[in-house]
Amino acid sequence: MTSTTHSPALVRARTGGPRDDDGPKLLEHVLGWTLVVLLAVLVTRAGLM
């Protein structure tokens, strides 16, 4: 016999906030694009392109 009930300690209540896995991924995306733009500005200002 298998039980289909979940332990209350394993089930987390959702509060309507952002998902745990979305935050770092979004931050990583924003920081990556910021670095790309900064590098493009520096290359352009230095006259390398």
Side-chain angles (χ1 to χ4, degrees), residues 3-17:
S3 175
T4 58
T5 59
H6 293 88
S7 170
L10 296 177
V11 178
R12 292 184 359 190
R14 295 293 304 149
T15 59

Side-chain angles (χ1 to χ4, degrees), residues 31-43:
L31 288 177
W33 278 109
T34 302
L35 180 62
V36 167
V37 170
L38 180 63
L39 185 62
V41 168
L42 290 174
V43 166

